[in-house]
Amino acid sequence: MIESYLSNRYQRVQLNISTRNCNAVSGWTEVKCGVPQGSIQGPLLFLLYVNDLPKAVTHNGFPILFADNTSALITSRNVREFQNDINTSLQHLCEWFLAN
C-alpha cells in the first residue's frame, strides 16, 4: 500500500505573472523521491524518512529538524577543528542523501 502511495507520482510547475501578463507551464515530470505534501500521511512518512538523518552530523554538530526544514549547526573551539567537522559532516550528510 505504501509503495502505491509513493510511486507513479508526477509534478509540473505553473508560472503566472499577472503584472507581465505571462503564463507558462512546464511538462510533467515523474517524482522519484520524497514525501507527498498536503497529505494526512505526509508528516508521518517525513518523520520516518529523516529519522536517522541526525546521526550523519558529527559530534560537534547539532541537527535541527522542524516540519520539512532541516539544519545542522556545527560549533568548534578553533578554525581547524571547525573545518574538519564541517568536512566530516558534509561527507556523512552526502552519503546519507545518496543512500536515501
Side-chain angles (χ1 to χ4, degrees), residues 8-80:
N8 199 24
R9 296 181 297 137
Y10 293 85
Q11 72 179 21
R12 70 178 181 174
V13 176
Q14 182 173 341
L15 178 64
N16 296 319
I17 304 175
S18 59
T19 57
R20 294 192 176 186
N21 202 18
C22 174
N23 296 318
V25 179
S26 71
W28 288 99
T29 303
E30 185 176 8
V31 178
K32 297 180 181 179
C33 62
V35 175
Q37 293 183 339
S39 65
I40 293 172
Q41 296 89 356
L44 175 61
L45 290 172
F46 177 78
L47 290 174
L48 293 172
Y49 184 69
V50 299
N51 191 43
D52 62 340
L53 177 62
K55 295 177 184 175
V57 181
T58 65
H59 65 280
N60 287 335
F62 180 72
I64 300 171
L65 294 104
F66 179 77
D68 61 350
N69 294 308
T70 303
S71 298
L73 302 178
I74 299 172
T75 60
S76 294
R77 296 187 184 270
N78 62 58
V79 174
R80 282 201 178 139

